[in-house]
Amino acid sequence: MTMKLPMFEELAGNFRSEIENFPNAFPPRRTAAPDPEKQRAGEQDGQPVMGFLTDATLCIGCKACEVACKQWNQLPADGNNFTGHSYDNTGHLSETTWRHVAFKEKIGGAIGDMMGAGPTAGSWLMLSDVCKHCEDAPCLKSCPTGSLVYNPFGDVYVQPDICNGCGYCVSACPFGVIGRSEEDGHAKKCTLCFDRQADAHVPACAKSCPTESIKFGPVEELRAYAEKRVALLRERGHEKAYTYGADSVGEYGRLNAFFILEEHPNEYNLPEEPRQADRGQGVRYMLGSFAALALTGLAAALFSGKSRR
């Protein structure tokens, strides 16, 4: 026989509603990004969303993009010491490295097989990594001050004068893009050269790429180009070529800076299934609150029992 407690059920329902709405109790100001679908339907005018397509099959590892990014944004050098893992002295994206060219030596695999060199053939995987400027950016949603916004070009942008250095965005990003400055504690990452775009210039990294591995333009045009490029690569024998981030990556959503790859995403230090940090947040809050209430009740019962003795 099940005993129902209407008052308790109503209390639990109200409590659940309050917990789910708690993140919106003090909502920061948000800037809506341009919506390509609404623009195509004529429901929204203005600037199209701009982004990057980085083609790993064309990257030669020259690091021109990395140097150009540092030079234009006046970012400090990361030292001249090699990591020991590769021909690389930056290692990964950080607060001072907004473009990072990864070098990875691979024995065998798709490239070696395609070249007919056998299972022990060596090859290099090279990729210029950058902030993904996600359509549904978890860093932006986690920012308590509204420092992270979508700028008029649809790119995720950090407003340094509003950032309080809490670091929530650093842990929310599933790609390890954002870093905190050791000088001022603020979050730092790629701006997709917001200042250059405002003056109708191409971002520094794309401008400097000698092989056009990095392409810049309206995201919808880049996606159409990427589809044709992958088809061409497969015709030429690169049967494992595919796009990463042009469409939804699992349940994560699309990226406005996406890639053409030939190997598994993990080979390029990219997650196979990135996760949204806020997914299931309401349930976690509710369970944590009930656990706290249960512990409080247990402690009260123990102390009351001792006092009676």
Side-chain angles (χ1 to χ4, degrees):
M1 180 176 180
T2 305
M3 184 175 178
K4 293 187 177 181
L5 299 174
M7 292 182 62
F8 179 77
E9 290 180 359
E10 183 180 356
L11 179 64
N14 293 337
F15 184 73
R16 186 185 301 109
S17 177
E18 292 296 327
I19 289 296
E20 289 176 351
N21 290 324
F22 181 74
N24 299 319
F26 303 97
R29 292 183 178 180
R30 302 296 188 197
T31 303
D35 189 328
E37 293 183 1
K38 289 184 178 180
Q39 287 178 343
R40 284 197 299 269
E43 299 174 5
Q44 190 180 78
D45 297 326
Q47 171 66 46
V49 177
M50 306 298 283
F52 286 129
L53 164 62
T54 304
D55 188 345
T57 67
L58 294 175
C59 181
I60 59 174
C62 66
K63 284 186 177 280
C65 56
E66 194 171 318
V67 174
C69 177
K70 282 185 174 289
Q71 184 178 33
W72 178 259
N73 293 291
Q74 300 181 16
L75 300 173
D78 295 295
N80 294 319
N81 299 318
F82 286 121
T83 61
H85 300 291
S86 174
Y87 292 108
D88 186 8
N89 66 328
T90 49
H92 52 78
L93 295 170
S94 69
E95 69 278 6
T96 57
T97 298
W98 299 353
R99 264 281 180 187
H100 171 248
V101 179
F103 288 73
K104 182 172 182 179
E105 188 173 12
K106 186 170 180 61
I107 304 300
I111 298 177
D113 294 341
M114 183 270 293
M115 296 176 64
T120 60
S123 59
W124 285 99
L125 298 180
M126 298 175 184
L127 177 70
S128 179
D129 198 8
V130 71
C131 173
K132 315 309 180 285
H133 295 278
C134 312
E135 276 193 352
D136 187 20
C139 59
L140 188 148
K141 292 189 289 185
S142 68
C143 180
T145 65
S147 169
L148 281 143
V149 297
Y150 287 110
N151 65 23
F153 300 100
D155 310 319
V156 180
Y157 180 74
V158 181
Q159 301 174 95
D161 57 326
I162 302 179
C163 177
N164 66 359
C166 66
Y168 292 166
C169 57
V170 177
S171 56
C173 177
F175 300 100
V177 166
I178 307 175
R180 289 177 62 195
S181 171
E182 295 182 358
E183 295 182 0
D184 57 19
H186 292 168
K188 308 284 185 181
K189 72 170 199 68
C190 164
T191 66
L192 221 154
C193 281
F194 183 22
D195 50 349
R196 290 178 64 90
Q197 287 194 68
D199 289 332
H201 293 309
V202 175
C205 56
K207 184 73 173 178
S208 65
C209 182
T211 63
E212 295 188 3
S213 170
I214 302 171
K215 289 190 177 295
F216 165 77
V219 170
E220 292 303 303
E221 294 181 10
L222 292 177
R223 288 192 174 109
Y225 171 82
E227 186 177 349
K228 295 178 181 177
R229 172 67 180 166
V230 168
L232 178 62
L233 286 169
R234 290 175 177 174
E235 287 179 6
R236 294 178 174 178
H238 299 256
E239 297 177 357
K240 294 187 177 182
Y242 67 98
T243 57
Y244 177 91
D247 299 310
S248 296
V249 185
E251 298 180 355
Y252 185 81
R254 300 192 300 180
L255 312 178
N256 289 335
F258 56 100
F259 306 88
I260 293 177
L261 308 176
E262 287 191 272
E263 298 285 350
H264 191 279
N266 293 164
E267 299 282 4
Y268 302 91
N269 198 31
L270 295 170
E272 182 178 4
E273 294 184 3
R275 293 186 177 183
Q276 285 282 359
D278 66 335
R279 185 161 293 153
Q281 188 177 42
V283 175
R284 293 195 297 270
Y285 276 149
M286 187 174 64
L287 291 175
S289 300
F290 275 124
L293 289 172
L295 289 173
T296 303
L298 179 61
L302 290 173
F303 279 112
S304 63
K306 287 183 179 180
S307 61
R308 289 175 183 175
R309 293 177 185 176

